[in-house]
Amino acid sequence: MTTLTIQTAPIAGQKPGTSGLRKKTRVFMQAHYLENFTQAIFDAIGGVGGKVLVLGGDGRYFNDRAAQVILRMAAANGAARVIVGQGAILSTPAASHLIRKRGADGGIILSASHNPGGADEDFGMKFNGANGGPAPESLTDLIFARTQELMEYRILESQDVELERLGETRLGDMVVEVVDPVADYADLMESLFDFNAIRDLIAGGFRLRFDAMHAVTGPYAREILVNRLGAAPDSVVNDRPLPDFGGGHPDPNPVWAKALMDEMFGQDAPDFGAASDGDGDRNMIVGRGVYVSPSDSLAVLAANAHLAPGYARGLAGIARSMPTSRAADRVAERLGIPAFETPTGWKFFGNLLDAGRATICGEESFGTGSDHVREKDGLWAVLLWLNILAARGLGVAELLREHWSEYGRTFYSRHDYEAVAADRANALIQRLRETLADLPGQAHSGLVVESADDFAYDDPVDGSQSARQGIRLNFEGGARAVLRLSGTGTEGATLRVYLERHQPDPAHHGDDPAQALAPVAAAVEAIARIREFTGRDHPDVTT
Ligand code: G16
């Protein structure tokens, strides 16, 4: 086998966003595109000579081809071993676990997460370090810098590697080890949760529905929920991973997981419903006739985590991304443990988890997880919910109501304006930045602005700083709004507007969230002039 050194030239725009590099699949399929980015990763981490890497992806279109290219490049760059999920499949949390368990130097995950897949949809690629977590900004900056100067890459000339058969093969001097993508992860879950209690709950007639959305969690959910916990075989639906996710958005929210919502709000609904995304790190939780907002889910999980064996020792701290509602902060306060507020992006939780300062983390974008891996973890959240419901003997709606009566209810909603012209979206944010100092004291739609800023984060562990992470508007009386531009879109800009309002009075806990938040939305419109800048009079997606 020959190692080829291919001449190339820097390709513009290979800047990793909130979670790796995400582009249209056809962009990734352009000549040298994937190769340049792969070589830039290898160079930025100081080369892969003698190193052990993990490789896998969510199975979307181009996953298999990209994996073969990366393997040939890893071999040409001197890697000692690459551990690959069978068929080049690994969910993001399973990849994180594998890196940690095997003491690998890092891993490459092929996924554009919840974005649709297919030749005309999205593809993505991210690098996770030896702790199993997404590369921090300092490293993604280095990777990007390398893409801007790269003039050649190395690749082995060879046949495709057989990735369907478990076991070891060689590619040049490198070992390719194909592993079962599910087994290690399922064992980890079994070590954290009281599977006996969940099994008893299910055997007692508790019915659940898990929608894998034709994405990577199908095989994981079937093994854990059906084979190990005894759920009925039809409890797991859409469990065959497809390269285009069956044409859907593998995004577990009430809009894209509508079929599940309809079932959970219909007649004879199951007791518990959940869905996960393309690469298995997100989750949506639904009870019979009740939707659990991700911010509430984080708060409920944190308040009850001690009921699961893996967390019986209690929590060191709770971390949430800045736009996530402050419901979890109230739990941290009650538990007497620190609450951390980080920028959007799971990578910002890594240092807190590594340092043992936070145990549970969560984001409004349907992500929750803990220190068991360094990624958010969809099935982990589902199992912790089931463990808590089994231990408490309550249904989802009862548990939620009880939580609200103890802590108050934080109404929460996110409005997304998608594929907005980037210059218009940037102009909106820029104008807000310029008016921040004038906002305090202004009254809009009956709400008075108490403070306004552009969120900046100083990492308490390594002191790194991240500025301009989103506009925060705090209103007198405790309502809050956040505006920021998404870092995961692949078309134009996506403006995200996050609204929240705390309601201590139980008489109002059953109110309609849209109505409870209407004054906050109106105040934001008056301040940010969204209609004028985006040309839209309503959001594309409301969750
Ligand atoms: C990624 C990140 C999350 C982030 C989300 C939304 O999720 O890992 O931390 O909250 O994107 O980011 P944005 O608002 O910038 O689009 P995933 O599931 O896509 O990897």
Side-chain angles (χ1 to χ4, degrees):
M1 275 178 244
T2 329
T3 297
L4 305 175
T5 299
I6 307 287
Q7 303 305 310
T8 185
I11 297 175
Q14 294 196 320
K15 188 172 174 53
T18 307
S19 179
L21 183 66
R22 285 190 196 166
K23 297 285 173 194
K24 288 289 165 202
T25 310
R26 288 196 194 281
V27 172
F28 258 102
M29 290 165 69
Q30 284 167 15
H32 306 315
Y33 197 94
L34 170 73
E35 290 85 347
N36 273 21
F37 192 66
T38 304
Q39 188 67 52
I41 292 175
F42 290 170
D43 293 351
I45 60 172
V48 292
K51 290 185 178 170
V52 176
L53 298 175
V54 164
L55 173 66
D58 62 12
R60 68 180 58 223
Y61 186 88
F62 195 52
N63 186 86
D64 48 353
R65 299 311 315 148
Q68 294 289 345
V69 170
I70 293 165
L71 284 173
R72 290 208 295 274
M73 289 187 65
N77 280 273
R81 176 183 290 262
V82 178
I83 304 165
V84 197
Q86 189 178 23
I89 298 287
L90 279 175
S91 78
T92 285
S96 181
H97 177 52
L98 206 52
I99 293 170
R100 295 165 66 78
K101 183 171 180 211
R102 297 293 303 273
D105 297 286
I108 289 179
I109 303 174
L110 303 170
S111 172
S113 189
H114 55 288
N115 297 18
D120 295 312
E121 298 294 353
D122 295 348
F123 192 77
M125 185 168 165
K126 57 180 176 170
F127 179 78
N128 283 29
N131 70 346
E137 274 194 335
S138 52
L139 179 54
T140 54
D141 287 349
L142 277 180
I143 296 171
F144 178 52
R146 187 67 190 130
T147 66
Q148 293 176 301
E149 58 186 26
L150 195 82
M151 296 305 289
E152 57 183 40
Y153 60 82
R154 285 179 291 289
I155 187 162
L156 204 69
E157 202 176 31
S158 80
Q159 300 288 319
D160 279 0
V161 186
E162 168 62 78
L163 294 179
E164 292 303 330
R165 217 179 20 246
L166 300 182
E168 293 189 0
T169 48
R170 291 193 91 85
L171 185 58
D173 294 333
M174 184 179 88
V175 176
V176 178
E177 180 185 345
V178 180
V179 299
D180 179 335
V182 175
D184 287 333
Y185 175 82
D187 292 347
L188 172 67
M189 293 301 111
E190 201 155 353
S191 74
L192 294 172
F193 302 114
D194 186 347
F195 270 34
N196 285 333
I198 302 175
R199 219 177 278 124
D200 288 349
L201 177 75
I202 291 171
F206 182 93
R207 288 186 302 133
L208 59 99
R209 183 75 77 240
F210 180 87
D211 190 342
M213 304 187 87
H214 288 302
V216 79
T217 47
Y220 294 85
R222 184 152 295 284
E223 169 62 16
I224 295 169
L225 299 175
V226 177
N227 298 348
R228 298 199 186 191
L229 290 169
D234 66 356
S235 304
V236 179
V237 296
N238 300 321
D239 65 331
R240 202 156 65 85
L242 298 173
D244 67 347
F245 308 119
H249 272 247
D251 195 358
N253 64 41
V255 177
W256 297 117
K258 184 166 181 309
L260 176 69
M261 292 296 286
D262 288 349
E263 189 174 6
M264 295 305 299
F265 281 79
Q267 290 219 319
D268 195 31
D271 299 281
F272 181 85
S276 191
D277 69 332
D279 61 334
D281 56 3
R282 294 186 173 204
N283 74 90
M284 176 175 78
I285 303 294
V286 202
R288 184 189 294 129
V290 58
Y291 161 73
V292 184
S293 85
S295 294
D296 271 352
S297 179
L298 171 65
V300 169
L301 292 181
N304 295 281
H306 60 278
L307 298 169
Y311 305 91
R313 65 188 186 280
L315 310 179
I318 305 170
R320 64 166 172 85
S321 68
M322 183 272 282
T324 305
S325 97
R326 293 165 295 181
D329 299 8
R330 297 173 192 277
V331 175
E333 195 183 346
R334 185 77 55 92
L335 294 174
I337 57 175
F340 298 93
E341 183 178 43
T342 62
T344 294
W346 201 264
K347 58 192 172 200
F348 291 102
F349 294 135
N351 281 343
L352 296 170
L353 293 167
D354 282 347
R357 295 176 66 166
T359 308
I360 282 194
C361 309
E363 296 187 286
E364 51 67 38
S365 55
F366 297 84
T368 19
S370 85
D371 57 0
H372 68 293
V373 289
R374 291 295 179 274
E375 289 276 5
K376 55 188 183 279
D377 188 344
L379 270 165
W380 170 90
V382 169
L383 292 167
L384 182 49
W385 263 96
L386 291 174
N387 194 145
I388 292 167
L389 295 176
R392 299 287 307 269
L394 296 174
V396 176
E398 291 165 282
L399 183 61
L400 212 49
R401 257 198 310 275
E402 194 202 73
H403 187 90
W404 292 337
S405 69
E406 208 173 326
Y407 297 92
R409 178 172 184 184
T410 307
F411 286 103
Y412 188 84
S413 183
R414 186 177 102 183
H415 295 183
D416 291 340
Y417 299 81
E418 294 179 339
V420 176
D423 58 337
R424 302 302 296 153
N426 285 323
L428 182 152
I429 295 288
Q430 187 49 35
R431 186 189 142 269
L432 271 181
R433 280 198 184 112
E434 284 158 11
T435 54
L436 284 175
D438 306 329
L439 292 175
Q442 287 185 14
H444 297 281
S445 306
L447 290 175
V448 178
V449 180
E450 191 175 72
S451 62
D453 67 358
D454 192 353
F455 179 58
Y457 180 63
D458 291 335
D459 186 303
V461 179
D462 68 10
S464 58
Q465 298 181 321
S466 306
R468 300 183 151 210
Q469 296 294 324
I471 307 292
R472 290 192 294 193
L473 305 172
N474 291 312
F475 298 97
E476 283 176 10
R480 184 177 85 141
V482 172
L483 295 94
R484 60 178 282 278
L485 301 182
S486 158
T488 59
T490 56
E491 225 179 306
T494 295
L495 171 69
R496 302 207 195 282
V497 182
Y498 312 79
L499 309 167
E500 76 175 84
R501 183 170 214 175
H502 185 251
Q503 173 55 268
D505 181 358
H508 286 287
H509 288 171
D511 288 1
D512 172 27
Q515 268 173 22
L517 292 166
V520 192
V524 170
E525 173 57 33
I527 293 169
R529 310 211 307 244
I530 297 170
R531 248 180 236 133
E532 177 189 325
F533 277 90
T534 64
R536 315 275 173 84
D537 54 13
H538 57 82
D540 299 282
V541 179
T542 299
T543 53

